[in-house]
Amino acid sequence: MEGSLAARAKGEHFHTVTPLLESWALSQVAGTTVLLKCENVQPTGSFKIRGIGHFCQEVARKGCRHLVCASGGNAGMAAAYSARKLGIPVTIVLPEGTSLQVVRRLQGQGAEVQLTGKVWDEANLRAQELAKRDGWENVSPFNHPLIWEGHASLVQELKAELGTPPGAVVLSVGGGGLLAGVSAGLAEVGWQHVPIIAMETQGAHCFNAAVQAGRLVTLPDITSVARSLGAKTVVARALECTKEFEIFSEVVEDAEAVSAVQRFLDDERMLVEPACGASLAAIYSGLLQRLQAEGCLRPSLAPVVVIVCGGNSIDSRQLQALRAQLGQS
Ligand code: PLV
């Protein structure tokens, strides 16, 4: 308890400043210097701790007595970690298909875990129900200004390290929290002109569907293996961002995302989820070069930052199974 009180009193961030590493292998593929913002080494295995840690600290300060979070897994890990640091009980609601490994890790953080519904949207209904209890607070994985504010710290770190703006930032979009946060960060540091390449997989492409339609669209189902991108509707703020920032919305097939995960493992010896593979596929599938060829991006680009968002829901056996499912092995 002493540690938690200390953390609360000091208001220290729960996230760490992550390395920005130049990737020789990805730079070779892209024909442009590629820098990896390694969010996979955050305490909870993904960037989520930035925004969710910030959100949880704020609601704890206001007297919240129990946290509840519906999650594809990674937001839940961040909420469970934050709750433990703050000394507050936490309930994580996950879709039924979530791997046992993720459930165990959450329980290891002291979280109560409930499994319900086929996809995140269904688990979220249960979380909203629980959050009506007195003193309980719902932690959205992506839909809150405090979460975006927390994610924006990632861009502050880029600014501190690079000084000058990157040629583009590549990131993955699930519910759109990372996109909203990075956009906010770019505006804060005066880099609002930096192009953002917003990656999704087919079957979890709610942002792309919204961009195409010019309004929010709810997907009928999540069919992609990138479960952590599996929100049926993107946050309204993400769509608004398209009016204020230069955002290219791109969709790759599951096979490209999973193949990118495998190549990244071999190239950089880091294992990430298909949700992150979607961003890596922007390089490995030649999408960056295509955008350059089409005149969307300059032919001679400043270093491109790929946000390696990470993820917990992957191990060597799961990767093998995904590759077999997609006919890659
Ligand atoms: N995952 C959320 C939403 O899932 C969650 O509950 O964990 N990369 C990784 C590894 C992620 O876990 C997520 C979000 C994203 C990218 C996309 O971030 P977002 O939702 O802020 O766009 C259904």
Side-chain angles (χ1 to χ4, degrees):
M1 215 45 190
E2 216 178 273
S4 66
L5 287 176
R8 209 186 302 193
K10 282 189 207 153
E12 281 169 9
H13 295 141
F14 295 153
H15 66 260
T16 54
V17 173
T18 54
L20 184 66
L21 304 177
E22 182 172 338
S23 167
W24 179 81
L26 273 87
S27 301
Q28 289 293 110
V29 176
T32 294
T33 302
V34 174
L35 304 174
L36 306 171
K37 184 63 173 159
C38 298
E39 293 299 295
N40 53 323
V41 302
Q42 284 291 359
T44 60
S46 80
F47 71 96
K48 289 274 174 182
I49 189 64
R50 291 182 184 271
I52 288 180
H54 182 51
F55 178 90
C56 293
Q57 282 178 313
E58 290 299 312
V59 295
R61 215 167 274 148
K62 290 185 184 137
C64 146
R65 284 183 281 111
H66 197 121
L67 292 161
V68 55
C69 176
S71 171
N74 296 314
M77 280 301 296
Y81 179 88
S82 305
R84 184 167 63 77
K85 288 260 176 189
L86 292 161
I88 298 174
V90 62
T91 302
I92 309 296
V93 189
L94 305 163
E96 274 154 10
T98 310
S99 77
L100 197 59
Q101 179 200 31
V102 170
V103 172
R104 289 218 180 102
R105 255 182 228 169
L106 285 164
Q107 288 167 337
Q109 291 282 352
E112 186 216 342
V113 177
Q114 295 190 12
L115 298 176
T116 187
K118 193 172 153 272
V119 296
W120 176 81
D121 288 78
E122 290 164 25
N124 188 38
L125 294 177
R126 170 84 185 137
Q128 283 175 340
E129 205 48 49
L130 288 170
K132 287 181 186 155
R133 295 182 183 174
D134 192 35
W136 287 48
E137 187 77 44
N138 185 30
V139 186
S140 163
F142 44 75
N143 191 6
H144 198 283
L146 286 171
I147 291 179
W148 310 332
E149 201 175 286
H151 291 340
S153 60
L154 190 158
V155 184
Q156 302 281 2
E157 289 170 24
L158 292 178
K159 170 79 176 185
E161 190 148 348
L162 292 174
T164 54
V169 175
V170 182
L171 52 78
S172 296
V173 180
L178 181 59
L179 175 63
V182 166
S183 300
L186 290 174
E188 267 167 40
V189 304
W191 285 358
Q192 56 279 352
H193 58 281
V194 171
I196 299 173
I197 306 175
M199 301 298 300
E200 296 178 288
T201 48
Q202 186 65 42
H205 58 289
C206 62
F207 178 60
N208 188 263
V211 170
Q212 302 280 337
R215 58 175 171 81
L216 294 183
V217 171
T218 299
L219 300 177
D221 196 8
I222 300 300
T223 55
S224 170
V225 298
R227 303 314 278 185
S228 296
L229 302 185
K232 287 188 185 175
T233 320
V234 79
V235 293
R237 177 67 199 137
L239 190 58
E240 273 169 36
C241 283
T242 60
K243 299 191 190 99
E244 299 161 33
F245 300 86
E246 195 178 357
I247 300 177
F248 298 101
S249 166
E250 298 288 339
V251 179
V252 290
E253 296 295 330
D254 275 350
E256 293 175 282
V258 169
S259 155
V261 168
Q262 178 69 54
R263 284 181 72 176
F264 191 63
L265 176 61
D266 293 338
D267 283 341
E268 298 296 338
R269 298 144 329 270
M270 293 191 227
L271 180 56
V272 295
E273 278 186 30
C276 180
S279 282
L280 299 168
I283 307 296
Y284 286 125
S285 294
L287 202 139
L288 186 83
Q289 281 169 326
R290 197 198 80 209
L291 288 172
Q292 286 177 293
E294 286 172 357
C296 299
L297 297 174
R298 289 201 195 141
S300 149
L301 269 182
V304 169
V305 172
V306 176
I307 300 178
V308 182
C309 46
N312 283 278
S313 199
I314 191 78
D315 61 20
S316 54
R317 214 172 323 149
Q318 277 171 288
L319 176 57
Q320 256 174 3
L322 284 169
R323 295 188 69 216
Q325 184 187 332
L326 296 164
Q328 293 179 1
S329 58

